[in-house]
Amino acid sequence: MRQRIEQAQEGDRTAFERIVRHYTAMAHSVAYEKLRDTHLAEDAVQEAFTEAFLHLGKLKDPDAFPGWFKVIVVRQCHRLLRKKKHPTVPLHEAEGTARNEWGIPDIVERKEMRKLLHDSIAALSPNMRIAVQLFYFYGYSLQEISDCLGTAVPVWKKRLFDARSKLKGILPVADFVSVFHHLYEGGANVLHITNGDSVAEKLRQGVVQGDILAWREVYSEGPVFLDAAAAANRTVRAQYLEKAMGVPSEVFVRGSEEQEQTLASFRKYDEIVLWFEHDLFDQTMLCYLLHWFAERPPGRTKLSLLCIGTYPGIELFRGLGQLSVKQLETLSGTWQTVGQEELKLGKALWEAYCSPDPGKLAELLQKDTSALPFANNAFRLHLSRFPSVHNGLGIVEQTTLEMVRNGLGTPLDLFRHAGDRLHELGMGDLQYWHCLAKLSQGPKPLLAIDGSQAFPDFKDPAPSFHRSRVDLTELGLRVLEGKEDWIAVNGIDEWYGGVHLHGRAVPWRWDTSQQKLVSGTM
């Protein structure tokens, strides 16, 4: 910290921003105790950091920064108190008002306990309250609290002891710490990992504290490998995604390296929270990450998981990206600790998904997979993407041809309806355009697409394509009726997880009548 302060004194704003992140929660707690208003406290802290940066050069001893900065925060609070006051609502009541409106039935009891916990802490004396908030909620060490607030470590120890004793008499549990860990919502030293940028951007709007990593991958498409970071494996995957969806190889490789570097530094965080949902897109990503963490000692870092498949008021829940910031706020803090059972199952599922033998995955899905409640349905749906014994079509191709036969005539309509019917796949638009390309291109297509010169890809959205006319060819109709086999006519060159099917005779098919994977060629 001393080095960062010295760098900041030389005008390095980045170094100062790191200092800001380190002390924000502590400064806010001090300001809130003075002002009793969360918004005024935020204003005071912001003004204090501005003043501190402008006058940082006057600080002779960098080690004195915590106490020096506390004085600035308190001074800003006094300035605000001299101004006209506005009606305010206590912090814990504001929290309840904002979140209860969006309450979720299956976590009502949990939220009531959390409210009781916060209300009980609010009833403590200011000194005990600050001790509990900074030590438990924000994860500061006693030495850090002592350095910043200018009170000896033994004093803070005594305040924490007294606070726990008092809370033990208020809360209907044996010990405050046990209920705290059960309801822990995370502090500033947390890394949240999401399924892409949409959810990440909403979380950054004050839903959670800490850093946010948007994991950009689509493991439900193309070849996957146990060691995804190996250069040879990454090259194979990059080449596939560039050919299938137009994702430039260099963009994919660079992005993969950057996110893996962030993941590799996980031990600097107190907690990692995984935000995922029920569909195959997310479940493959989740299992990849659980496999990754299962092979690395966690140290002091706690791993947590938030994974949902429904949300009240949303009839067809497609994913977390549908939710507003306020709706996401109701989920903050409801994540559960990931234990050995979840890690073991996630690791096993990823290994089976990456195997060139899909029978391993089919066998695993016959066992107890309740540790990850959405995995079984998602991976069974993955197996239904294999060519069927009936006509060689997977579930996506079969659904598409049926929709065209029933009158849907544009790519955009097909994508929307396929997304609704097969929402547990979590299929993106580029994935679906790749499917349409396979069905409509080649010497013997099943679909004819008129009115567009090019398919959309990562670089070119090709808006005219969305309005193109889609029709069944004669061959498409015969295949749909089971009179022809698509694989026998056209052959196949496609990846299903770690399985590469190619040629006109494939060793694995999906039996739609029995809903199971079968071996043997046709």
Side-chain angles (χ1 to χ4, degrees):
M1 185 60 68
R2 179 187 180 95
Q3 182 181 8
R4 289 179 180 173
I5 292 171
E6 290 173 343
Q7 290 173 338
Q9 286 176 319
E10 296 172 359
D12 186 341
R13 190 170 185 87
T14 300
F16 188 75
E17 288 172 351
R18 294 194 185 102
I19 299 170
V20 168
R21 287 195 292 271
H22 184 78
Y23 285 107
T24 294
M26 198 176 299
H28 188 274
S29 293
V30 171
Y32 182 74
E33 284 302 319
K34 294 288 183 182
L35 300 169
R36 308 305 297 170
D37 181 288
T38 186
H39 299 296
L40 289 178
E42 290 171 358
D43 291 342
V45 171
Q46 185 176 1
E47 293 296 328
F49 276 120
T50 300
E51 181 179 342
F53 182 69
L54 292 174
H55 298 94
L56 196 58
K58 298 178 181 179
L59 180 65
K60 296 180 180 180
D61 181 6
D63 291 333
F65 178 85
W68 176 74
F69 180 62
K70 179 193 172 185
V71 171
I72 296 176
V73 172
V74 172
R75 185 164 61 244
Q76 288 294 341
C77 290
H78 289 159
R79 288 175 182 170
L80 289 174
L81 286 170
R82 287 195 295 269
K83 296 180 180 180
K84 181 180 178 180
K85 293 186 177 180
H86 301 280
T88 62
V89 178
L91 178 60
H92 65 279
E93 292 182 16
E95 219 174 35
T97 301
R99 295 188 178 187
N100 287 345
E101 180 184 355
W102 303 93
I104 302 176
D106 60 353
I107 60 171
V108 167
E109 182 179 351
R110 184 184 183 88
K111 284 189 171 293
E112 288 177 350
M113 179 59 77
R114 185 184 298 115
K115 186 177 187 303
L116 177 58
L117 175 64
H118 283 281
D119 288 349
S120 301
I121 292 172
L124 297 172
S125 69
N127 286 335
M128 285 192 287
R129 185 162 57 242
I130 287 180
V132 169
Q133 288 173 338
L134 294 181
F135 185 78
Y136 286 107
F137 285 87
Y138 293 110
Y140 288 106
S141 69
L142 291 176
Q143 189 61 57
E144 287 176 315
I145 300 171
S146 174
D147 292 343
C148 184
L149 302 185
T151 305
V153 168
V155 175
W156 288 110
K157 286 184 178 179
K158 179 65 166 58
R159 290 175 181 174
L160 284 174
F161 177 82
D162 291 343
R164 288 179 60 175
S165 298
K166 187 170 183 178
L167 289 168
K168 185 176 180 180
I170 299 173
L171 292 169
V173 291
D175 182 49
F176 153 71
V177 177
S178 65
V179 72
F180 166 76
H181 285 304
H182 178 61
L183 299 174
Y184 176 63
E185 296 186 18
N189 195 30
V190 176
L191 175 64
H192 299 268
I193 303 179
T194 70
N195 62 339
D197 293 280
S198 175
V199 178
E201 288 305 313
K202 292 176 182 178
L203 293 187
R204 291 189 180 102
Q205 298 178 42
V207 175
V208 294
Q209 299 181 70
D211 296 335
I212 297 171
L213 171 62
W215 198 261
R216 301 181 183 96
E217 249 292 8
V218 54
Y219 297 117
S220 55
E221 183 73 35
V224 295
F225 306 94
L226 275 182
D227 186 3
N233 294 340
R234 183 178 284 148
T235 298
V236 171
R237 185 155 175 76
Q239 290 173 344
Y240 174 91
L241 292 176
E242 183 168 57
K243 180 180 179 181
M245 297 190 290
V247 180
S249 293
E250 64 275 11
V251 171
F252 172 77
V253 171
R254 183 171 63 250
S256 297
E257 291 174 346
E258 289 174 353
Q259 63 189 20
E260 285 163 7
Q261 287 173 3
T262 301
L263 194 63
S265 65
F266 77 97
R267 290 190 185 89
K268 74 178 184 180
Y269 295 99
D270 296 326
E271 184 175 17
I272 309 293
V273 180
L274 308 175
W275 292 69
F276 290 103
E277 56 216 28
H278 65 297
D279 57 44
L280 180 67
F281 181 96
D282 275 46
Q283 291 298 302
T284 53
M285 197 180 298
L286 171 60
C287 289
Y288 168 80
L289 291 169
L290 290 176
H291 178 273
W292 192 93
F293 281 109
E295 297 196 326
R296 290 160 178 81
R300 65 177 181 84
T301 304
K302 176 182 177 182
L303 185 63
S304 299
L305 172 63
L306 183 149
C307 192
I308 63 174
T310 60
Y311 191 90
I314 298 179
E315 183 176 351
L316 179 59
F317 180 74
R318 299 280 292 271
L320 292 167
Q322 285 177 280
L323 303 185
S324 67
V325 171
K326 285 188 175 182
Q327 288 171 322
L328 286 171
E329 284 176 356
T330 68
L331 300 176
S332 180
T334 66
W335 41 80
Q336 305 291 324
T337 299
V338 172
Q340 287 303 310
E341 191 176 2
E342 291 85 0
L343 286 171
K344 182 179 179 181
L345 178 57
K347 177 178 170 65
L349 283 167
W350 180 252
E351 290 175 351
Y353 182 66
C354 292
S355 171
D357 177 5
K360 293 182 178 180
L361 180 59
E363 182 180 353
L364 180 59
L365 295 179
Q366 297 298 319
K367 301 178 180 178
D368 180 14
T369 59
S370 57
L372 298 174
F374 302 110
N376 204 293
N377 282 344
F379 283 104
R380 283 187 183 279
L381 195 57
H382 158 67
L383 292 178
S384 73
R385 299 190 299 170
F386 277 69
S388 75
V389 297
H390 173 63
N391 57 10
L393 297 176
I395 192 170
V396 180
E397 294 83 12
Q398 177 74 24
T399 300
T400 298
L401 294 192
E402 289 175 356
M403 291 189 301
V404 174
R405 183 179 61 183
N406 293 337
L408 290 178
T410 69
L412 190 57
D413 285 339
L414 290 169
F415 171 62
R416 288 171 176 168
H417 284 78
D420 288 344
R421 288 177 58 177
L422 304 174
H423 64 93
E424 288 182 309
L425 283 176
M427 184 169 47
D429 56 350
L430 293 183
Q431 287 179 269
Y432 190 66
W433 304 149
H434 176 56
C435 171
L436 282 188
K438 291 186 297 180
L439 291 169
S440 62
Q441 296 175 347
K444 298 179 180 179
L446 306 189
L447 293 176
I449 301 181
D450 297 325
S452 176
Q453 300 299 316
F455 272 76
D457 61 22
F458 181 84
K459 295 172 288 187
D460 181 11
S464 63
F465 171 80
H466 298 161
R467 300 185 295 272
S468 302
R469 179 68 193 176
V470 183
D471 292 295
L472 280 172
T473 64
E474 291 185 9
L475 175 62
L477 183 59
R478 291 200 303 275
V479 169
L480 188 57
E481 293 174 344
K483 298 175 181 177
E484 297 270 7
D485 185 87
W486 188 35
I487 305 302
V489 172
N490 273 319
I492 189 174
D493 183 6
E494 195 59 66
W495 286 86
Y496 300 86
V499 182
H500 186 198
L501 297 184
H502 53 90
R504 285 183 165 80
V506 296
W508 297 97
R509 295 259 186 163
W510 177 253
D511 189 326
T512 53
S513 61
Q514 299 187 58
Q515 291 292 293
K516 69 177 186 179
L517 195 69
V518 296
S519 60
T521 59
M522 290 187 65

